[in-house]
Amino acid sequence: MSGQLNRQFFLAIMVSSGAVLVLLRGAGLGSSMVTGLFLAGSTAVLFAFSNWRRFLFNELDALFVLLAASAAISFALHGRSATAQDTELLLLSLATYPAGRLLQKGDFGRSFVWTTSIIVAVGMLATVYALVTQWGDYLSKPVVFGYGHAATVFLLSLGFALIAIAAQLPDIRRARIVCAIFALPTFVFSVSLVRFIFVALMASLYVAARKAPASHRRSILTLMMMVALATSAGILVRYDTWEILGKYIISDAVSAEEPVWTPEVRCGVTINNSIGVRTVLKGRGQGNPASRIFRAGTWPI
């Protein structure tokens, strides 16, 4: 029993690694060494808690072996062109498959949900503080402890918690309690302009609802309604900003205040328009000099 609880705890730490690393940075403990030790340690501990006596080789394992072999052959033929840090991150990424290979449904139980929820709660408080102190006409995603993607990784952890809860919600009463608890962090991260994680979360809950028995489906649909309402409320709070983002999506909007030389002047791309930048990087409109500018990461002022 204690082994399963420990496995749930370290699994929660592992899937919320991005959020935990942001919080460690806020506590003054952030560094490349801490990041490496944290990722390697959580993966190794999860691997150690796995019961390999239950292991049976299957098709997914064969695909993983092919992927790892392809990477090894590439290194053998072409040498190592990446930095040592990138190589280490590749090895850590490959190690997550065997570490999580023997996970069971029970590993996403109460200890997993509680650990993930605590991470989400702390992340929400940090995000609220960032929103309050940075609020203004030019606020996009709040910068939390120096990271602009912090709200995204906090919402990712919240999504894992909700999916784990959806898998074990037997009655509507508990679903309503969960909705009351998670509505506020969902609203806060919506105000923080996180977009695609909400889409992925709703799609995951929808699939869970489709596969769940009828008695269970109503609880999951209640969770989906909470996410939809809290997200909509957050969008309404930032309606003006969402309106600007909408214009970026449907047109190549250019800022009225143009400095002497910027990608707006040269290439018609607004630097704060992440969708426009991605379009340029994908190479739409060949010959556009912005693609070279953004790949280089700098531009003359």
Side-chain angles (χ1 to χ4, degrees):
M1 182 65 178
S2 61
Q4 186 182 40
L5 291 177
N6 289 331
R7 190 163 62 246
Q8 290 183 32
F9 172 77
F10 284 106
L11 176 60
I13 294 295
M14 186 176 177
V15 300
S16 298
S17 58
V20 173
L21 289 172
V22 170
L23 296 176
L24 287 176
R25 172 68 178 269
L29 301 175
S31 68
S32 57
M33 179 66 71
V34 170
T35 299
L37 290 175
F38 174 82
L39 294 175
S42 59
T43 303
V45 171
L46 188 62
F47 184 90
F49 277 112
S50 298
N51 183 6
W52 287 94
R53 289 176 295 181
R54 299 188 300 107
F55 175 75
L56 292 174
F57 192 83
N58 61 27
E59 296 85 353
L60 294 178
D61 300 321
L63 291 175
F64 173 75
V65 170
L66 288 175
L67 175 63
S70 299
I73 292 171
S74 177
F75 275 110
L77 294 178
H78 307 293
R80 196 186 73 184
S81 57
T83 64
Q85 188 178 51
D86 289 336
T87 303
E88 292 164 1
L89 288 173
L90 172 63
L91 294 176
L92 280 173
S93 299
L94 291 174
T96 57
Y97 178 82
R101 170 64 176 82
L102 296 178
L103 291 176
Q104 308 173 64
K105 181 179 178 181
D107 292 330
F108 296 88
R110 183 171 298 180
S111 180
F112 175 88
V113 172
W114 272 105
T115 304
T116 310
S117 300
I118 291 171
I119 294 170
V120 170
V122 178
M124 181 197 69
L125 293 175
T127 304
V128 169
Y129 178 80
L131 283 169
V132 172
T133 56
Q134 300 168 25
W135 194 270
D137 294 338
Y138 297 101
L139 174 67
S140 181
K141 290 183 180 178
V143 178
V144 182
F145 303 133
Y147 292 104
H149 74 292
T152 301
V153 294
F154 293 148
L155 178 60
L156 187 62
S157 297
L158 184 148
F160 279 118
L162 286 181
I163 292 171
I165 291 170
Q168 49 192 306
L169 267 181
D171 59 73
I172 192 66
R173 184 181 64 86
R174 292 186 182 179
R176 289 169 181 165
I177 295 173
V178 170
C179 289
I181 294 172
F182 284 91
L184 181 57
T186 305
F187 168 77
V188 169
F189 299 136
S190 177
V191 173
S192 302
L193 299 185
V194 182
R195 293 169 287 188
F196 300 114
I197 300 296
F198 279 115
V199 177
L201 174 58
M202 290 294 283
S204 300
L205 291 175
Y206 174 75
V207 172
R210 287 291 301 269
K211 292 183 174 294
S215 58
H216 193 170
R217 189 173 301 133
R218 188 180 173 192
S219 299
I220 301 177
L221 292 176
T222 303
L223 288 181
M224 293 180 65
M225 184 177 298
M226 178 275 293
V227 173
L229 291 175
T231 304
S232 300
I235 291 174
L236 290 176
V237 170
R238 302 292 302 281
Y239 174 78
D240 293 339
T241 307
W242 278 107
E243 185 179 18
I244 294 172
L245 290 174
K247 289 178 181 178
Y248 284 157
I249 294 172
I250 63 177
S251 67
D252 295 325
V254 178
S255 172
E257 299 182 61
E258 296 179 342
V260 177
W261 200 107
T262 66
E264 290 105 313
V265 176
R266 178 83 176 270
C267 316
V269 179
T270 305
I271 190 64
N272 288 327
N273 176 8
S274 62
I275 297 172
V277 172
R278 292 171 193 162
T279 301
V280 171
L281 290 174
K282 285 179 65 177
R284 196 179 80 179
Q286 295 185 359
N288 190 335
S291 59
R292 296 192 297 274
I293 295 166
F294 286 112
R295 287 193 182 97
T298 59
W299 56 88
I301 298 294

